[in-house]
Amino acid sequence: MFFKNLRMDIDFAKKTDPSARNKFEIFLTYPGIHALSGHRLARFYYKIHLKLLARMTSGFTRFVTGIDIHPAAEIAGGVFIDHGAGVVIGETAKIEKNVVIYQGVTLGGTGKDKGVRRHPHIKEGCVISCGAKILGGITIGENSKIGAGSVVLSDVPPNATVVGIPGKVVKLNGEKVISEEKNENL
C-alpha cells in the first residue's frame, strides 16, 4: 500500500505541476512527496500503537520538509503538496485523492471542538490555495477551490469557489453567486 500511494502521489504531482519534468526528479526533490511518505510511515507506527515512534518520525519529517502532518491524519494516495513550507495538517483531518495543497495551508482545529472529528475533511478534487486556513470539523465538498488567504469555518458545498475572511462562496457550479442572502459566511 505504501508504494501504491507513493506512485499515486508522484503521478498526480506530474499531472498537476507544469514544472515537473519527470517522475524521478519528483521523487528525489519534491518536499511534499517526502512529507507524505514520512507521514505514511508515521501513520503505520501510529496504527500499531507505537505512538512515540510515530511522533518522532513525524517530527523528523517536519524538520526535513517544513510540513507538519499529525500521524493520525488520514491522507489518500494521489495528494500533491506543492511548495509545502508551513503546511499544517491536524490529527483528525481527512484528505481524499486528487487534492492539491499549496504552501502555508492549515487544516486545523478551532480549539473549541470536542469528539472524534475536530479537523476538516477535504473531499476529492479540491484545491487549497496558499495561506488558506480551514478550521474545525467541517467538510469541503468535491472539486471545490479555496482562495489564497481565506479562512473557512463552515462546510463548503461541492463545486464551489470560496474566498475571503471569513470565507464566502463566490462561485457555485461554475456560476457567480450574486445574492448576499444566499451567500452565508463559511
Side-chain angles (χ1 to χ4, degrees):
M1 191 65 150
F2 177 85
F3 291 106
K4 178 183 177 190
N5 284 335
L6 176 61
R7 190 170 39 254
M8 290 172 67
D9 293 340
I10 292 170
D11 289 344
F12 189 60
K14 177 80 169 92
K15 176 182 170 190
T16 305
D17 188 356
S19 68
R21 294 186 311 189
N22 60 63
K23 293 177 183 181
F24 188 64
E25 180 182 44
I26 292 168
F27 173 71
L28 289 178
T29 65
Y30 278 45
I33 298 297
H34 301 154
L36 289 169
S37 296
H39 165 70
R40 292 196 174 99
L41 179 60
R43 183 159 169 75
F44 169 76
Y45 293 143
Y46 194 86
K47 287 171 72 174
I48 62 169
H49 303 289
L50 295 174
K51 294 186 179 180
L52 177 59
L53 187 54
R55 293 305 294 258
M56 290 171 60
T57 302
S58 175
F60 178 75
T61 302
R62 180 183 62 242
F63 174 76
V64 170
T65 65
I67 299 169
D68 185 4
I69 306 173
H70 192 284
E74 292 180 51
I75 302 176
V79 169
F80 180 40
I81 301 174
D82 193 8
H83 301 288
V87 169
V88 177
I89 300 173
E91 179 181 17
T92 61
K94 182 174 182 179
I95 304 171
E96 295 182 7
K97 66 181 181 174
N98 299 333
V99 170
V100 179
I101 300 172
Y102 289 97
Q103 68 272 14
V105 166
T106 300
L107 304 179
T110 62
K112 299 175 184 178
D113 298 326
K114 299 203 182 319
V116 177
R117 194 159 152 242
R118 302 181 317 277
H119 299 89
H121 179 172
I122 310 299
K123 297 279 197 158
E124 184 174 342
C126 290
V127 175
I128 315 296
S129 298
C130 57
K133 310 302 178 205
I134 303 174
L135 306 174
I138 63 176
T139 299
I140 306 301
E142 295 87 355
N143 304 309
S144 289
K145 296 175 184 166
I146 308 300
S150 297
V151 177
V152 182
L153 302 171
S154 298
D155 290 346
V156 173
N159 305 305
T161 300
V162 174
V163 298
I165 303 172
K168 294 180 182 177
V169 174
V170 295
K171 267 189 178 178
L172 189 58
N173 297 316
E175 297 193 17
K176 289 184 181 180
V177 174
I178 297 170
S179 173
E180 284 297 317
E181 296 173 27
K182 294 181 182 178
N183 191 3
E184 298 176 22
N185 289 344
L186 298 173

